[in-house]
């Protein structure tokens, strides 16, 4: 059994942004030599999440519109009265309540077991940010 770790770094440009990270993750998994196992990815941020969903431009616009309607940025939030990092970001923390900080994806024959329409996304809820990370942890067997 092998255990390997990796970190992806990225920057975000929008207040709410959905970034497809599937290709980067597939490339790293392929480079590990792991044939069968489990990949866990986690966002170590309280205002950014990871998600498996469909990559389609109109749907992604709908997702962002939905998030903005669900928890408006300009709400009357107590957290914004004394933010710890000078960001009025209570809305981003509240949106995070509805999403996962991590995902676990099986690996079989050296490939991620994703459905034909599934992609892996990093979801920024409090951008823009110069540096965000996603930590990857894979546990599995090699050929």
């Amino acid at each position: 059994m092998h255990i390997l770790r990796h970190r992806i770094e990225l920057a975000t440009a929008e207040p709410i942004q959905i970034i497809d990270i599937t290709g980067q993750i597939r490339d790293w998994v392929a480079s590990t030599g792991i044939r069968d196992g489990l990949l866990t990815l986690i966002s170590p941020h309280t205002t950014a999440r990871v998600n498996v969903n469909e990559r389609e431009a109109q749907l992604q616009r709908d997702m962002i519109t939905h998030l903005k309607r669900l928890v408006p940025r300009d709400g009357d939030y107590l957290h914004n009265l004394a933010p710890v990092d000078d960001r009025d970001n209570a809305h981003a923390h509240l949106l995070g309540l509805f999403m996962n900080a991590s995902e676990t994806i099986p690996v079989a024959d050296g490939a991620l077991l994703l459905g034909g329409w599934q992609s892996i996304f990093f979801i920024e809820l409090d951008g823009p940010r110069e540096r965000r990370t996603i930590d990857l942890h894979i546990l599995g067997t090699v050929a």
Side-chain angles (χ1 to χ4, degrees), residues 1-29:
M1 192 68 60
H2 290 80
I3 300 171
L4 300 165
R5 294 177 297 177
H6 181 66
R7 176 171 279 173
I8 295 174
E9 293 188 8
L10 53 114
T12 61
E14 301 295 328
I16 297 178
Q17 187 174 356
I18 300 171
I19 301 171
D20 189 342
I21 55 174
T22 311
Q24 289 175 275
I25 293 172
R26 274 195 176 119
D27 291 347
W28 180 72
V29 168

PDB file of all heavy atoms in Angstrom, residues 1-29:
ATOM      1  N   MET A   1       0.849  -1.179   0.000  1.00  0.00           N
ATOM      2  CA  MET A   1       0.000   0.000   0.000  1.00  0.00           C
ATOM      3  C   MET A   1       0.890   1.235   0.000  1.00  0.00           C
ATOM      4  O   MET A   1       1.833   1.319   0.789  1.00  0.00           O
ATOM      5  CB  MET A   1      -0.905  -0.024   1.234  1.00  0.00           C
ATOM      6  CG  MET A   1      -2.030   0.964   1.227  1.00  0.00           C
ATOM      7  SD  MET A   1      -3.341   0.721   0.029  1.00  0.00           S
ATOM      8  CE  MET A   1      -3.976  -0.869   0.443  1.00  0.00           C
ATOM      9  N   HIS A   2       0.588   2.186  -0.855  1.00  0.00           N
ATOM     10  CA  HIS A   2       1.345   3.429  -0.940  1.00  0.00           C
ATOM     11  C   HIS A   2       0.441   4.605  -0.574  1.00  0.00           C
ATOM     12  O   HIS A   2      -0.754   4.599  -0.891  1.00  0.00           O
ATOM     13  CB  HIS A   2       1.883   3.637  -2.357  1.00  0.00           C
ATOM     14  CG  HIS A   2       2.963   2.687  -2.716  1.00  0.00           C
ATOM     15  ND1 HIS A   2       2.718   1.397  -3.110  1.00  0.00           N
ATOM     16  CD2 HIS A   2       4.304   2.840  -2.736  1.00  0.00           C
ATOM     17  CE1 HIS A   2       3.852   0.796  -3.368  1.00  0.00           C
ATOM     18  NE2 HIS A   2       4.837   1.651  -3.145  1.00  0.00           N
ATOM     19  N   ILE A   3       1.038   5.605   0.057  1.00  0.00           N
ATOM     20  CA  ILE A   3       0.336   6.847   0.385  1.00  0.00           C
ATOM     21  C   ILE A   3       1.176   7.995  -0.159  1.00  0.00           C
ATOM     22  O   ILE A   3       2.373   8.093   0.143  1.00  0.00           O
ATOM     23  CB  ILE A   3       0.160   7.010   1.910  1.00  0.00           C
ATOM     24  CG1 ILE A   3      -0.658   5.851   2.482  1.00  0.00           C
ATOM     25  CG2 ILE A   3      -0.499   8.352   2.222  1.00  0.00           C
ATOM     26  CD1 ILE A   3      -0.705   5.815   3.996  1.00  0.00           C
ATOM     27  N   LEU A   4       0.539   8.843  -0.970  1.00  0.00           N
ATOM     28  CA  LEU A   4       1.230   9.979  -1.567  1.00  0.00           C
ATOM     29  C   LEU A   4       0.398  11.230  -1.379  1.00  0.00           C
ATOM     30  O   LEU A   4      -0.842  11.170  -1.342  1.00  0.00           O
ATOM     31  CB  LEU A   4       1.474   9.732  -3.059  1.00  0.00           C
ATOM     32  CG  LEU A   4       2.320   8.507  -3.396  1.00  0.00           C
ATOM     33  CD1 LEU A   4       2.185   8.177  -4.868  1.00  0.00           C
ATOM     34  CD2 LEU A   4       3.766   8.737  -3.017  1.00  0.00           C
ATOM     35  N   ARG A   5       1.098  12.372  -1.297  1.00  0.00           N
ATOM     36  CA  ARG A   5       0.413  13.659  -1.134  1.00  0.00           C
ATOM     37  C   ARG A   5       0.891  14.646  -2.190  1.00  0.00           C
ATOM     38  O   ARG A   5       2.025  14.552  -2.664  1.00  0.00           O
ATOM     39  CB  ARG A   5       0.665  14.226   0.251  1.00  0.00           C
ATOM     40  CG  ARG A   5       0.046  13.405   1.357  1.00  0.00           C
ATOM     41  CD  ARG A   5       0.381  13.960   2.702  1.00  0.00           C
ATOM     42  NE  ARG A   5       1.834  13.871   2.879  1.00  0.00           N
ATOM     43  CZ  ARG A   5       2.479  14.314   3.930  1.00  0.00           C
ATOM     44  NH1 ARG A   5       1.844  14.899   4.902  1.00  0.00           N
ATOM     45  NH2 ARG A   5       3.786  14.180   4.026  1.00  0.00           N
ATOM     46  N   HIS A   6       0.027  15.597  -2.485  1.00  0.00           N
ATOM     47  CA  HIS A   6       0.351  16.631  -3.474  1.00  0.00           C
ATOM     48  C   HIS A   6      -0.502  17.855  -3.169  1.00  0.00           C
ATOM     49  O   HIS A   6      -1.584  17.735  -2.598  1.00  0.00           O
ATOM     50  CB  HIS A   6       0.043  16.099  -4.884  1.00  0.00           C
ATOM     51  CG  HIS A   6       0.355  17.042  -5.987  1.00  0.00           C
ATOM     52  ND1 HIS A   6       1.633  17.444  -6.297  1.00  0.00           N
ATOM     53  CD2 HIS A   6      -0.461  17.662  -6.870  1.00  0.00           C
ATOM     54  CE1 HIS A   6       1.593  18.272  -7.328  1.00  0.00           C
ATOM     55  NE2 HIS A   6       0.340  18.425  -7.686  1.00  0.00           N
ATOM     56  N   ARG A   7      -0.005  19.002  -3.549  1.00  0.00           N
ATOM     57  CA  ARG A   7      -0.768  20.246  -3.354  1.00  0.00           C
ATOM     58  C   ARG A   7      -0.876  20.978  -4.685  1.00  0.00           C
ATOM     59  O   ARG A   7       0.110  21.147  -5.390  1.00  0.00           O
ATOM     60  CB  ARG A   7      -0.083  21.134  -2.324  1.00  0.00           C
ATOM     61  CG  ARG A   7      -0.783  22.487  -2.160  1.00  0.00           C
ATOM     62  CD  ARG A   7      -0.240  23.256  -1.002  1.00  0.00           C
ATOM     63  NE  ARG A   7      -0.899  22.710   0.193  1.00  0.00           N
ATOM     64  CZ  ARG A   7      -0.596  23.043   1.432  1.00  0.00           C
ATOM     65  NH1 ARG A   7       0.386  23.895   1.667  1.00  0.00           N
ATOM     66  NH2 ARG A   7      -1.250  22.532   2.448  1.00  0.00           N
ATOM     67  N   ILE A   8      -2.089  21.404  -4.992  1.00  0.00           N
ATOM     68  CA  ILE A   8      -2.336  22.248  -6.166  1.00  0.00           C
ATOM     69  C   ILE A   8      -2.507  23.672  -5.667  1.00  0.00           C
ATOM     70  O   ILE A   8      -3.232  23.905  -4.700  1.00  0.00           O
ATOM     71  CB  ILE A   8      -3.611  21.795  -6.918  1.00  0.00           C
ATOM     72  CG1 ILE A   8      -3.420  20.398  -7.498  1.00  0.00           C
ATOM     73  CG2 ILE A   8      -3.970  22.797  -8.012  1.00  0.00           C
ATOM     74  CD1 ILE A   8      -4.674  19.817  -8.126  1.00  0.00           C
ATOM     75  N   GLU A   9      -1.846  24.611  -6.322  1.00  0.00           N
ATOM     76  CA  GLU A   9      -1.996  26.021  -5.982  1.00  0.00           C
ATOM     77  C   GLU A   9      -2.640  26.744  -7.155  1.00  0.00           C
ATOM     78  O   GLU A   9      -2.351  26.445  -8.308  1.00  0.00           O
ATOM     79  CB  GLU A   9      -0.640  26.645  -5.656  1.00  0.00           C
ATOM     80  CG  GLU A   9      -0.030  26.090  -4.391  1.00  0.00           C
ATOM     81  CD  GLU A   9       1.227  26.836  -3.966  1.00  0.00           C
ATOM     82  OE1 GLU A   9       1.557  27.877  -4.563  1.00  0.00           O
ATOM     83  OE2 GLU A   9       1.870  26.364  -3.015  1.00  0.00           O
ATOM     84  N   LEU A  10      -3.501  27.697  -6.835  1.00  0.00           N
ATOM     85  CA  LEU A  10      -4.138  28.489  -7.874  1.00  0.00           C
ATOM     86  C   LEU A  10      -4.531  29.846  -7.334  1.00  0.00           C
ATOM     87  O   LEU A  10      -4.538  30.069  -6.127  1.00  0.00           O
ATOM     88  CB  LEU A  10      -5.360  27.758  -8.444  1.00  0.00           C
ATOM     89  CG  LEU A  10      -6.405  27.285  -7.439  1.00  0.00           C
ATOM     90  CD1 LEU A  10      -7.683  28.047  -7.649  1.00  0.00           C
ATOM     91  CD2 LEU A  10      -6.633  25.814  -7.633  1.00  0.00           C
ATOM     92  N   ALA A  11      -4.822  30.740  -8.247  1.00  0.00           N
ATOM     93  CA  ALA A  11      -5.321  32.072  -7.899  1.00  0.00           C
ATOM     94  C   ALA A  11      -6.728  32.190  -8.459  1.00  0.00           C
ATOM     95  O   ALA A  11      -7.072  31.553  -9.458  1.00  0.00           O
ATOM     96  CB  ALA A  11      -4.424  33.147  -8.502  1.00  0.00           C
ATOM     97  N   THR A  12      -7.541  33.007  -7.806  1.00  0.00           N
ATOM     98  CA  THR A  12      -8.892  33.219  -8.298  1.00  0.00           C
ATOM     99  C   THR A  12      -9.070  34.694  -8.645  1.00  0.00           C
ATOM    100  O   THR A  12      -8.398  35.562  -8.090  1.00  0.00           O
ATOM    101  CB  THR A  12      -9.945  32.774  -7.268  1.00  0.00           C
ATOM    102  OG1 THR A  12      -9.793  33.538  -6.070  1.00  0.00           O
ATOM    103  CG2 THR A  12      -9.783  31.292  -6.951  1.00  0.00           C
ATOM    104  N   ALA A  13      -9.996  34.956  -9.568  1.00  0.00           N
ATOM    105  CA  ALA A  13     -10.163  36.310 -10.089  1.00  0.00           C
ATOM    106  C   ALA A  13     -11.543  36.901  -9.836  1.00  0.00           C
ATOM    107  O   ALA A  13     -11.749  38.094 -10.047  1.00  0.00           O
ATOM    108  CB  ALA A  13      -9.883  36.310 -11.592  1.00  0.00           C
ATOM    109  N   GLU A  14     -12.488  36.083  -9.403  1.00  0.00           N
ATOM    110  CA  GLU A  14     -13.873  36.534  -9.230  1.00  0.00           C
ATOM    111  C   GLU A  14     -14.327  36.321  -7.789  1.00  0.00           C
ATOM    112  O   GLU A  14     -13.800  35.465  -7.092  1.00  0.00           O
ATOM    113  CB  GLU A  14     -14.800  35.754 -10.173  1.00  0.00           C
ATOM    114  CG  GLU A  14     -14.470  35.892 -11.636  1.00  0.00           C
ATOM    115  CD  GLU A  14     -14.659  37.306 -12.149  1.00  0.00           C
ATOM    116  OE1 GLU A  14     -15.558  38.016 -11.639  1.00  0.00           O
ATOM    117  OE2 GLU A  14     -13.894  37.713 -13.042  1.00  0.00           O
ATOM    118  N   PRO A  15     -15.352  37.060  -7.343  1.00  0.00           N
ATOM    119  CA  PRO A  15     -15.892  36.850  -5.996  1.00  0.00           C
ATOM    120  C   PRO A  15     -16.381  35.418  -5.769  1.00  0.00           C
ATOM    121  O   PRO A  15     -16.106  34.818  -4.737  1.00  0.00           O
ATOM    122  CB  PRO A  15     -17.047  37.846  -5.916  1.00  0.00           C
ATOM    123  CG  PRO A  15     -16.695  38.914  -6.894  1.00  0.00           C
ATOM    124  CD  PRO A  15     -15.987  38.199  -8.018  1.00  0.00           C
ATOM    125  N   ILE A  16     -17.109  34.884  -6.748  1.00  0.00           N
ATOM    126  CA  ILE A  16     -17.507  33.474  -6.745  1.00  0.00           C
ATOM    127  C   ILE A  16     -17.045  32.919  -8.081  1.00  0.00           C
ATOM    128  O   ILE A  16     -17.398  33.449  -9.138  1.00  0.00           O
ATOM    129  CB  ILE A  16     -19.027  33.291  -6.568  1.00  0.00           C
ATOM    130  CG1 ILE A  16     -19.484  33.828  -5.210  1.00  0.00           C
ATOM    131  CG2 ILE A  16     -19.397  31.809  -6.714  1.00  0.00           C
ATOM    132  CD1 ILE A  16     -20.978  33.733  -4.961  1.00  0.00           C
ATOM    133  N   GLN A  17     -16.253  31.860  -8.021  1.00  0.00           N
ATOM    134  CA  GLN A  17     -15.662  31.323  -9.245  1.00  0.00           C
ATOM    135  C   GLN A  17     -15.598  29.807  -9.160  1.00  0.00           C
ATOM    136  O   GLN A  17     -15.254  29.256  -8.113  1.00  0.00           O
ATOM    137  CB  GLN A  17     -14.261  31.909  -9.426  1.00  0.00           C
ATOM    138  CG  GLN A  17     -13.602  31.569 -10.723  1.00  0.00           C
ATOM    139  CD  GLN A  17     -12.278  32.300 -10.904  1.00  0.00           C
ATOM    140  OE1 GLN A  17     -11.878  33.131 -10.094  1.00  0.00           O
ATOM    141  NE2 GLN A  17     -11.582  31.990 -11.977  1.00  0.00           N
ATOM    142  N   ILE A  18     -15.913  29.156 -10.259  1.00  0.00           N
ATOM    143  CA  ILE A  18     -15.865  27.701 -10.361  1.00  0.00           C
ATOM    144  C   ILE A  18     -14.734  27.350 -11.321  1.00  0.00           C
ATOM    145  O   ILE A  18     -14.778  27.727 -12.486  1.00  0.00           O
ATOM    146  CB  ILE A  18     -17.214  27.138 -10.848  1.00  0.00           C
ATOM    147  CG1 ILE A  18     -18.328  27.530  -9.863  1.00  0.00           C
ATOM    148  CG2 ILE A  18     -17.126  25.629 -11.017  1.00  0.00           C
ATOM    149  CD1 ILE A  18     -19.730  27.211 -10.361  1.00  0.00           C
ATOM    150  N   ILE A  19     -13.723  26.640 -10.808  1.00  0.00           N
ATOM    151  CA  ILE A  19     -12.538  26.324 -11.601  1.00  0.00           C
ATOM    152  C   ILE A  19     -12.432  24.812 -11.754  1.00  0.00           C
ATOM    153  O   ILE A  19     -12.384  24.083 -10.758  1.00  0.00           O
ATOM    154  CB  ILE A  19     -11.268  26.878 -10.925  1.00  0.00           C
ATOM    155  CG1 ILE A  19     -11.372  28.397 -10.771  1.00  0.00           C
ATOM    156  CG2 ILE A  19     -10.025  26.485 -11.723  1.00  0.00           C
ATOM    157  CD1 ILE A  19     -10.278  29.009  -9.925  1.00  0.00           C
ATOM    158  N   ASP A  20     -12.373  24.352 -12.996  1.00  0.00           N
ATOM    159  CA  ASP A  20     -12.236  22.928 -13.274  1.00  0.00           C
ATOM    160  C   ASP A  20     -10.783  22.516 -13.024  1.00  0.00           C
ATOM    161  O   ASP A  20      -9.864  23.015 -13.671  1.00  0.00           O
ATOM    162  CB  ASP A  20     -12.633  22.638 -14.723  1.00  0.00           C
ATOM    163  CG  ASP A  20     -12.717  21.161 -15.027  1.00  0.00           C
ATOM    164  OD1 ASP A  20     -12.165  20.345 -14.269  1.00  0.00           O
ATOM    165  OD2 ASP A  20     -13.326  20.817 -16.059  1.00  0.00           O
ATOM    166  N   ILE A  21     -10.579  21.613 -12.079  1.00  0.00           N
ATOM    167  CA  ILE A  21      -9.241  21.135 -11.742  1.00  0.00           C
ATOM    168  C   ILE A  21      -9.066  19.655 -12.105  1.00  0.00           C
ATOM    169  O   ILE A  21      -8.077  19.030 -11.729  1.00  0.00           O
ATOM    170  CB  ILE A  21      -8.917  21.372 -10.249  1.00  0.00           C
ATOM    171  CG1 ILE A  21      -9.968  20.742  -9.339  1.00  0.00           C
ATOM    172  CG2 ILE A  21      -8.784  22.874  -9.971  1.00  0.00           C
ATOM    173  CD1 ILE A  21      -9.639  20.815  -7.853  1.00  0.00           C
ATOM    174  N   THR A  22      -9.996  19.123 -12.887  1.00  0.00           N
ATOM    175  CA  THR A  22      -9.975  17.701 -13.233  1.00  0.00           C
ATOM    176  C   THR A  22      -8.689  17.302 -13.934  1.00  0.00           C
ATOM    177  O   THR A  22      -8.077  16.283 -13.591  1.00  0.00           O
ATOM    178  CB  THR A  22     -11.187  17.345 -14.128  1.00  0.00           C
ATOM    179  OG1 THR A  22     -12.376  17.875 -13.539  1.00  0.00           O
ATOM    180  CG2 THR A  22     -11.318  15.847 -14.305  1.00  0.00           C
ATOM    181  N   GLY A  23      -8.265  18.082 -14.920  1.00  0.00           N
ATOM    182  CA  GLY A  23      -7.072  17.740 -15.690  1.00  0.00           C
ATOM    183  C   GLY A  23      -5.826  17.661 -14.827  1.00  0.00           C
ATOM    184  O   GLY A  23      -5.033  16.709 -14.943  1.00  0.00           O
ATOM    185  N   GLN A  24      -5.648  18.651 -13.940  1.00  0.00           N
ATOM    186  CA  GLN A  24      -4.490  18.648 -13.046  1.00  0.00           C
ATOM    187  C   GLN A  24      -4.494  17.421 -12.140  1.00  0.00           C
ATOM    188  O   GLN A  24      -3.452  16.822 -11.888  1.00  0.00           O
ATOM    189  CB  GLN A  24      -4.487  19.897 -12.175  1.00  0.00           C
ATOM    190  CG  GLN A  24      -4.170  21.177 -12.904  1.00  0.00           C
ATOM    191  CD  GLN A  24      -4.328  22.356 -11.957  1.00  0.00           C
ATOM    192  OE1 GLN A  24      -5.421  22.863 -11.786  1.00  0.00           O
ATOM    193  NE2 GLN A  24      -3.239  22.757 -11.342  1.00  0.00           N
ATOM    194  N   ILE A  25      -5.669  17.064 -11.665  1.00  0.00           N
ATOM    195  CA  ILE A  25      -5.772  15.919 -10.757  1.00  0.00           C
ATOM    196  C   ILE A  25      -5.533  14.619 -11.517  1.00  0.00           C
ATOM    197  O   ILE A  25      -4.791  13.746 -11.050  1.00  0.00           O
ATOM    198  CB  ILE A  25      -7.126  15.925 -10.025  1.00  0.00           C
ATOM    199  CG1 ILE A  25      -7.169  17.141  -9.093  1.00  0.00           C
ATOM    200  CG2 ILE A  25      -7.339  14.616  -9.272  1.00  0.00           C
ATOM    201  CD1 ILE A  25      -8.503  17.381  -8.443  1.00  0.00           C
ATOM    202  N   ARG A  26      -6.115  14.489 -12.704  1.00  0.00           N
ATOM    203  CA  ARG A  26      -5.888  13.282 -13.522  1.00  0.00           C
ATOM    204  C   ARG A  26      -4.400  13.111 -13.821  1.00  0.00           C
ATOM    205  O   ARG A  26      -3.868  12.005 -13.733  1.00  0.00           O
ATOM    206  CB  ARG A  26      -6.669  13.377 -14.831  1.00  0.00           C
ATOM    207  CG  ARG A  26      -8.070  12.915 -14.742  1.00  0.00           C
ATOM    208  CD  ARG A  26      -8.657  12.687 -16.136  1.00  0.00           C
ATOM    209  NE  ARG A  26      -9.979  12.153 -15.981  1.00  0.00           N
ATOM    210  CZ  ARG A  26     -11.088  12.736 -16.409  1.00  0.00           C
ATOM    211  NH1 ARG A  26     -11.027  13.885 -17.058  1.00  0.00           N
ATOM    212  NH2 ARG A  26     -12.257  12.170 -16.214  1.00  0.00           N
ATOM    213  N   ASP A  27      -3.739  14.211 -14.204  1.00  0.00           N
ATOM    214  CA  ASP A  27      -2.316  14.141 -14.525  1.00  0.00           C
ATOM    215  C   ASP A  27      -1.500  13.682 -13.326  1.00  0.00           C
ATOM    216  O   ASP A  27      -0.602  12.842 -13.455  1.00  0.00           O
ATOM    217  CB  ASP A  27      -1.804  15.504 -15.013  1.00  0.00           C
ATOM    218  CG  ASP A  27      -2.360  15.898 -16.372  1.00  0.00           C
ATOM    219  OD1 ASP A  27      -2.939  15.034 -17.064  1.00  0.00           O
ATOM    220  OD2 ASP A  27      -2.213  17.085 -16.735  1.00  0.00           O
ATOM    221  N   TRP A  28      -1.813  14.231 -12.142  1.00  0.00           N
ATOM    222  CA  TRP A  28      -1.052  13.839 -10.960  1.00  0.00           C
ATOM    223  C   TRP A  28      -1.303  12.376 -10.607  1.00  0.00           C
ATOM    224  O   TRP A  28      -0.356  11.632 -10.315  1.00  0.00           O
ATOM    225  CB  TRP A  28      -1.369  14.735  -9.759  1.00  0.00           C
ATOM    226  CG  TRP A  28      -0.577  14.318  -8.570  1.00  0.00           C
ATOM    227  CD1 TRP A  28       0.761  14.490  -8.375  1.00  0.00           C
ATOM    228  CD2 TRP A  28      -1.059  13.607  -7.430  1.00  0.00           C
ATOM    229  NE1 TRP A  28       1.147  13.927  -7.176  1.00  0.00           N
ATOM    230  CE2 TRP A  28       0.039  13.381  -6.578  1.00  0.00           C
ATOM    231  CE3 TRP A  28      -2.313  13.137  -7.039  1.00  0.00           C
ATOM    232  CZ2 TRP A  28      -0.068  12.718  -5.365  1.00  0.00           C
ATOM    233  CZ3 TRP A  28      -2.426  12.472  -5.837  1.00  0.00           C
ATOM    234  CH2 TRP A  28      -1.316  12.266  -5.011  1.00  0.00           C
ATOM    235  N   VAL A  29      -2.557  11.949 -10.634  1.00  0.00           N
ATOM    236  CA  VAL A  29      -2.869  10.549 -10.321  1.00  0.00           C
ATOM    237  C   VAL A  29      -2.118   9.631 -11.278  1.00  0.00           C
ATOM    238  O   VAL A  29      -1.510   8.636 -10.860  1.00  0.00           O
ATOM    239  CB  VAL A  29      -4.392  10.299 -10.351  1.00  0.00           C
ATOM    240  CG1 VAL A  29      -4.701   8.805 -10.326  1.00  0.00           C
ATOM    241  CG2 VAL A  29      -5.071  11.003  -9.185  1.00  0.00           C
TER     242      VAL A  29
END
